Amino acid sequence: MRTFIQYLFLFLMSSASTLSHAGEWSGFAGLEFRGFNQTAQDSRQDHDTNFSFVFEPEYYHEWDDGDQSIAFVPYVRVDENDNERTHFDIRELTYLKVAEHWELRLGIRKVFWGVTEFQHLVDIINQTDLVENLDTEDKLGQPMLNLALINDWGTVDLFVMPYFRERYFPGTSGRLRSIPETRQDRSQFESAAKEKHIDLAARYSHYIGDWDFGLSHFYGTSRDPRLLLSTDSGGNPFLIPFYDIINQTSADIQTTKGNMLWKFEALHRSGQGTTYNALAGGFEYTFVGIMDSALDLGVLSEYHYDDRDELSTSIFQDDIAIGARLAFNDVQSSEALIGLVWDKDNGGKFFNIEASRRLGDDWLLELQGRFFFNQKRRDPAFTVSRDDYSELFLSYNF
Amino acid sequence: MKTILILPILLTLLLNTAYAETPEEKGLAIANEADKRDTGWTDQVADMSMMLKNKQGDSSTRVMRITTFEVPGDGDKSLITFDSPKDIKGTAFLSHTHSLTPDDQWLYLPALKRVKRISSSNKSGPFVGSEYAYEDLSSQEVEKYKYKWLRDETLNGRDSFVIERFPQYEHSGYTRQIVWLDKEMYQPLQLEFFDRKNSQLKTLQFLDYKQYLDQYWRPGSMQMTNHQTGKSTTLSWTDYKFKNGLSDRDFDKNTLKRAR
């Protein structure tokens, strides 16, 4: 990994030195506070409040009329209680070349696939930065070569990923972790090449009228590991992340009919235990300008299914999700989102609230709450069932 | 012999039609002429800043870059990229507008690197908290309205046509608009908006027109005042550039995805 980054850095710096004028810096710095309602399941998770500081600057420079550019986005979090949550990552360090019929990207970056809201089922290129948030929307930068071929009949994206990023798990004292603890330092791989296995992916995406769709295939190291139970020399149990080599074919489709959005994602995966299928689908309908105001109210519902049933490592194996999104359309861009995920099999429930509002021109205040109800011992969500929390995040954007 | 008889009849008919042009026909003819005069610019790049003011005088600014691509026979394509407020920097909005069918619209969220197809029915909603609705800023195609010429009038010393126009889009936030169209430029000087209850909602004034490429008139600023809330939004346009050699490719989802 280090050598890859060093080479890339040298390459980018040498191209940067040929540039006529300097690029621009932007980014944010923020302070996060979390309060937990209950004491944790494991006495070593010995805190009910937690402060965390994050900093994400972004450098961007383009030349050649914008047809060539570099971007550099480092990320650092310093956490009060969890040593594993204190971490550094390069979210992006990319060279981009744009031509009429293709785009080439070389470096570390993030790619998003999919359309659904409660779970990003088919999104697989990047590893989840799980110490950041349970919602799996924070990702580790993925080193890659990506060639996009742009045609009238759609875009074909080809990916070669020479280095795999292991998932980051919360440390011993961290909240919102598995019990027993998952130890990243004991990771195992199906491939003898371990994290140097070359992963490959291809995606075709296009839109016709009000239908947007993508078909993808991924071959390589599974981003979500199986967790194997083991014991250390002292007889204490812990979980080993095991990374299989998988093949995954997926589709994601959205159709936009007036104020109604229909969304569907499905995948077929082999190589990780039994071959399985999973799907996520639903709708989002927006009531525009409710009660003669500027407010928009969106209601959404999705069904998530995974045919491994109880063996699933996902918390979405037979779940119904409902939510509401409120956009105030005011000067401060105030927004709120609430969601409830209900496990049809065992009755477990997960309640989620997110809200944000700009303060002045440069500050953003975000509120988040995640609450677990009636989680059953066999559900993957059980180990965090005493980790209900509320979070305030204040960031300065520049 | 027959042709000689028919010709005067035809002429009378033609003259009569011209003479008896209804206010609706005259309104449409003026709209067509304005559209014709503003055709052929191919593509346009400009910087726009938006100053939002409330009744108390508190203000807030948004800065964005707008590129537009002329599509003959259909609505234009446009890409809006935000520079500020800083928390939405890099957020971009791609729109393929159509005269009569719903627009195709996508939003790019830079934090998630996610492109989202969004509903285009939401044309009456406020654009980034301003006094402008999406429909006020989208491409003005002749087919989007029915017209009625009201009178000729001098506004701020400029001779203008006063035309009433009725949005044909069923989800429009307006029953009607009254436009003061400058007789020399064939560009609007002032626009009054009437809400769904037909009461006066907003007035938009176009200021500091300049001519580009010896043909195309563009305003330097546009001031929207909401009479019902006392709020206002002033748009300032800078660095207009035309015929930059842009193509459809500059307005596709791949380009949206690399907005910065």
Side-chain angles (χ1 to χ4, degrees):
Chain A
M1 184 66 184
R2 183 157 288 164
T3 50
F4 180 85
I5 291 172
Q6 277 169 351
Y7 279 125
L8 191 68
F9 210 81
L10 281 174
F11 168 73
L12 292 177
M13 287 306 115
S14 62
S15 42
S17 66
T18 62
L19 311 177
S20 50
H21 54 91
E24 54 178 79
W25 284 96
S26 58
F28 69 90
L31 190 66
E32 175 199 285
F33 170 77
R34 278 182 181 175
F36 296 89
N37 302 358
Q38 296 169 278
T39 52
Q41 288 188 38
D42 185 331
S43 60
R44 292 172 300 174
Q45 300 169 292
D46 58 354
H47 58 281
D48 295 330
T49 59
N50 187 62
F51 279 99
S52 216
F53 170 78
V54 295
F55 180 47
E56 185 181 277
E58 172 168 346
Y59 175 79
Y60 176 71
H61 180 70
E62 63 175 39
W63 67 100
D64 191 11
D65 258 352
D67 284 345
Q68 294 189 68
S69 62
I70 52 169
F72 175 47
V73 185
Y75 180 83
V76 65
R77 174 184 288 276
V78 180
D79 196 73
E80 182 191 8
N81 288 294
D82 185 351
N83 292 336
E84 296 297 321
R85 210 169 175 238
T86 295
H87 68 297
F88 172 79
D89 187 42
I90 295 176
R91 294 297 203 227
E92 193 169 353
L93 178 58
T94 324
Y95 164 76
L96 164 68
K97 164 76 183 159
V98 179
E100 181 66 24
H101 296 291
W102 53 268
E103 292 178 6
L104 177 72
R105 289 171 171 90
L106 177 67
I108 297 167
R109 56 189 277 264
K110 175 157 107 176
V111 171
F112 181 88
W113 295 348
V115 292
T116 55
E117 300 298 329
F118 285 93
Q119 183 193 200
H120 304 308
L121 183 68
V122 307
D123 186 37
I124 193 171
I125 294 293
N126 291 79
Q127 179 59 270
T128 297
D129 191 348
L130 197 63
V131 295
E132 285 292 314
N133 203 307
L134 278 184
D135 66 9
T136 75
E137 286 189 344
D138 293 283
K139 299 291 179 182
L140 298 173
Q142 171 65 49
M144 70 174 76
L145 175 80
N146 168 215
L147 179 65
L149 302 168
I150 296 150
N151 309 286
D152 295 340
W153 43 266
T155 299
V156 176
D157 271 292
L158 304 170
F159 299 87
V160 178
M161 293 162 277
Y163 190 88
F164 169 72
R165 305 291 312 275
E166 284 180 53
R167 183 166 288 193
Y168 289 4
F169 294 95
T172 310
S173 59
R175 302 289 300 246
L176 297 155
R177 69 160 163 84
S178 62
I179 292 178
E181 186 187 352
T182 306
R183 286 181 56 181
Q184 195 193 332
D185 61 326
R186 301 293 291 270
S187 294
Q188 292 178 12
F189 296 84
E190 178 183 343
S191 166
K194 296 188 173 175
E195 60 267 64
K196 293 194 183 71
H197 183 271
I198 294 175
D199 299 342
L200 303 169
R203 174 174 172 84
Y204 166 69
S205 58
H206 195 38
Y207 79 97
I208 296 172
D210 46 24
W211 292 77
D212 288 57
F213 50 88
L215 280 172
S216 314
H217 188 83
F218 173 90
Y219 161 74
T221 315
S222 176
R223 272 47 186 157
D224 49 329
R226 283 193 282 161
L227 301 175
L228 310 177
L229 187 61
S230 183
T231 47
D232 64 15
S233 49
N236 302 308
F238 68 97
L239 297 174
I240 293 174
F242 187 90
Y243 295 96
D244 296 282
I245 297 294
I246 60 161
N247 271 288
Q248 173 171 310
T249 307
S250 67
D252 51 278
I253 304 166
Q254 180 180 319
T255 177
T256 307
K257 302 283 183 194
N259 287 335
M260 181 68 114
L261 315 178
W262 293 100
K263 301 166 175 201
F264 177 77
E265 296 186 15
L267 67 78
H268 174 84
R269 182 185 289 192
S270 61
Q272 191 171 26
T274 53
T275 296
Y276 74 97
N277 303 294
L279 64 84
F283 71 86
E284 175 164 358
Y285 185 85
T286 306
F287 297 92
V288 177
I290 52 167
M291 295 178 294
D292 277 328
S293 69
L295 268 71
D296 294 342
L297 172 68
V299 289
L300 48 160
S301 180
E302 289 173 3
Y303 174 65
H304 296 259
Y305 177 75
D306 182 327
D307 71 9
R308 285 171 298 179
D309 201 16
E310 292 293 306
L311 294 169
S312 175
T313 55
S314 161
I315 64 164
F316 292 102
Q317 75 271 36
D318 184 16
D319 292 33
I320 290 173
I322 54 168
R325 193 198 298 277
L326 200 55
F328 289 79
N329 292 312
D330 56 355
V331 176
Q332 295 80 19
S333 307
S334 310
E335 291 175 349
L337 173 72
I338 55 170
L340 180 73
V341 180
W342 173 56
D343 188 317
K344 270 179 63 195
D345 272 3
N346 63 26
K349 289 183 192 69
F350 168 60
F351 179 72
N352 179 36
I353 179 163
E354 291 170 24
S356 68
R357 179 178 171 87
R358 186 181 306 112
L359 305 175
D361 285 332
D362 305 319
W363 297 83
L364 188 70
L365 184 65
E366 293 168 81
L367 168 80
Q368 194 178 89
R370 309 223 194 268
F371 307 95
F372 307 89
F373 301 100
N374 197 25
Q375 297 297 338
K376 298 295 184 296
R377 204 160 266 284
R378 285 160 68 196
D379 195 278
F382 178 73
T383 63
V384 295
S385 60
R386 294 176 64 87
D387 290 333
D388 295 352
Y389 72 91
S390 305
E391 174 186 306
L392 272 178
F393 183 65
L394 179 66
S395 60
Y396 175 75
N397 297 268
F398 60 96
Chain B
M1 188 67 184
K2 260 184 186 167
T3 35
I4 294 166
L5 270 175
I6 289 167
L7 207 61
I9 297 168
L10 267 178
L11 271 174
T12 329
L13 268 174
L14 271 172
L15 284 171
N16 265 338
T17 327
Y19 182 70
E21 185 180 42
T22 64
E24 286 78 13
E25 284 163 346
K26 185 166 178 180
L28 178 63
I30 295 166
N32 275 321
E33 179 62 21
D35 184 61
K36 204 180 94 190
R37 290 192 187 198
D38 199 53
T39 298
W41 44 267
T42 320
D43 64 66
Q44 170 188 312
V45 177
D47 294 340
M48 192 231 270
S49 83
M50 248 185 187
M51 166 103 84
L52 282 56
K53 263 193 191 154
N54 67 12
K55 226 177 191 170
Q56 291 74 37
D58 304 327
S59 68
S60 170
T61 308
R62 280 116 181 72
V63 179
M64 62 205 87
R65 285 161 283 143
I66 304 184
T67 57
T68 316
F69 187 59
E70 194 179 15
V71 181
D74 200 354
D76 299 337
K77 296 181 178 181
S78 69
L79 178 65
I80 301 176
T81 311
F82 287 90
D83 288 325
S84 86
K86 295 298 180 188
D87 61 288
I88 59 163
K89 184 181 169 8
T91 301
F93 181 67
L94 174 67
S95 177
H96 293 179
T97 67
H98 304 295
S99 321
L100 294 171
T101 54
D103 297 346
D104 302 323
Q105 289 177 344
W106 295 267
L107 186 67
Y108 175 66
L109 304 167
L112 300 178
K113 305 283 180 201
R114 180 175 181 183
V115 169
K116 257 181 154 173
R117 176 77 170 255
I118 56 174
S119 166
S120 63
S121 305
N122 184 6
K123 284 182 176 172
S124 59
F127 180 72
V128 291
S130 75
E131 296 312 307
Y132 288 82
Y134 285 87
E135 61 185 310
D136 304 342
L137 293 167
S138 76
S139 110
Q140 300 293 318
E141 304 302 316
V142 174
E143 299 81 4
K144 285 186 172 177
Y145 305 92
K146 285 216 185 315
Y147 303 84
K148 186 180 174 189
W149 170 82
L150 297 177
R151 59 187 181 271
D152 287 358
E153 195 172 281
T154 307
L155 182 74
N156 305 326
R158 308 274 312 180
D159 285 339
S160 52
F161 303 111
V162 185
I163 296 163
E164 194 170 23
R165 60 184 198 187
F166 305 87
Q168 294 305 291
Y169 183 63
E170 63 165 318
H171 301 295
S172 173
Y174 313 115
T175 45
R176 63 192 175 104
Q177 302 171 359
I178 297 176
V179 53
W180 279 256
L181 195 83
D182 186 278
K183 282 188 177 179
E184 186 201 339
M185 300 187 292
Y186 271 80
Q187 285 285 338
L189 298 172
Q190 181 172 291
L191 200 46
E192 281 185 357
F193 299 86
F194 295 81
D195 66 15
R196 290 190 180 122
K197 291 172 193 142
N198 202 19
S199 36
Q200 194 188 22
L201 177 63
K202 304 185 289 190
T203 301
L204 174 59
Q205 285 174 301
F206 299 79
L207 306 162
D208 309 323
Y209 270 103
K210 264 195 198 160
Q211 196 174 28
Y212 297 85
L213 308 179
D214 290 328
Q215 185 179 354
Y216 309 109
W217 291 94
R218 292 290 180 271
S221 76
M222 290 159 60
Q223 188 172 340
M224 183 77 92
T225 309
N226 187 318
H227 305 294
Q228 297 180 0
T229 63
K231 293 181 190 172
S232 69
T233 302
T234 303
L235 301 191
S236 305
W237 295 88
T238 46
D239 286 332
Y240 278 115
K241 291 188 193 87
F242 298 86
K243 302 197 178 186
N244 302 283
L246 302 183
S247 67
D248 285 318
R249 174 75 173 86
D250 295 292
F251 298 88
D252 69 7
K253 283 165 76 179
N254 293 296
T255 297
L256 177 65
K257 219 178 282 180
R258 54 188 165 78
R260 286 274 181 177

